[in-house]
Amino acid sequence: MFKKYILGIETSCDETSASVIDSDLKIISNIIYSQQELHSNYFGVVPELASRAHYEKINFVIKESLKKITLDKINLISYTDEPGLRGALLIGKIVAETLGYIHKIPVVGVNHLWGHINSLFLSNKKITFPFLSLIISGGHTELSLVLSHKKRKILGNTRDDAVGESFDKVAKMLNLSYPGGPVIEKLSKKGDKNYIFFKRPYMSENWDFSFSGIKTSVLYYIKDLSKKRIKINKQLVSNICASFQEAVCDTLATKLLNACDMLGCDTVGISGGVSANEYIREYIEKKLNCNKIKTFFPDKNLSTDNAAMIASAGKNMYFSKTS
Ligand code: KG4
Ligand code: ZN
């Protein structure tokens, strides 16, 4: 069998990315232009600025990604078609379809969440179906049972904020930088995780999540400090970060254990930007391994948005024979 090459394009949010992978899921290139600096003053992604930045950078990242394997060798173009910011998605779609039309290459639009699930296949050759997937990103918190490359049964979602969004909002409350996840992870290392017990909503009732609930209990705690005229010094900031991160870990691990137990599932894959967090990785892995559950994560550089995962999703959707 000849090797096939897939060009992936990702523009759903604030990363402009292009990647080439082969049909054995080897990554040839994975170019990511992050817009984080552009959005940091606003503490969140500004859709209009994101679309413009994608427009300005898309040709550059595609050219860079095609340095080793040129366009004439590409057998499939895969781009993110949903969900995401409308204008941002449109840039990726137009470029993918134009390249496909001119160079007579098939084009497939894929779901961004399938992309995150596919980051697991790029990093772990041993993960097998069925497995429980937990996507924890800036825009999504989704628990699902993955049955094949094309079929997953959604079990639970966030009812309000996504977990990454709650990291970003708590960071804002504490006057930290954007995005909040990496800075909260760093400060938590110096903090006491048992300093404050933040509320963990929906722990047992169902498989949905409420990260706005955890975030709001952090907000009330900070307001209460200010009412009592207690100054929030550096150590207290670290303690709040560590206690918040602990509440998130406890919620995620408990939900996963409950779901594995109820479904009789012994394999879990955790992906999305928040899965870059080392403490969360170790916490969940330890808890699940104690219960003989195999736990998989993407390589850290594939946790946040990237086009290699979109190329992998396209390859598995387009070339896979199973339904
Ligand atoms: O998957 P992603 O790149 O974009 C979406 O699809 O949403 O995730 C971005 C999110 C941001 O909210 C960011 O704060 C969070 O991932 N994040 C982290 C870490 N690195 C990124 N959260 C916790 N710990 C981290 N180390
Ligand atoms: Zn994402």
Side-chain angles (χ1 to χ4, degrees), residues 10 12-13 112-113 116 135 137-140 272-273 303-305 309:
E10 157 63 31
S12 68
C13 193
H112 184 76
L113 298 183
H116 279 301
I135 300 172
S137 74
H140 307 275
S303 282
T304 43
D305 289 350
M309 68 186 199

Side-chain angles (χ1 to χ4, degrees), residues 5-8 73-78 105-108 311 314-316 318-319:
Y5 293 100
I6 301 103
L7 170 68
K73 296 193 187 75
I74 297 291
N75 304 95
L76 178 72
I77 299 175
S78 169
I105 305 168
V107 176
V108 60
K315 181 244 159 198
N316 286 323
Y318 194 81
F319 295 123

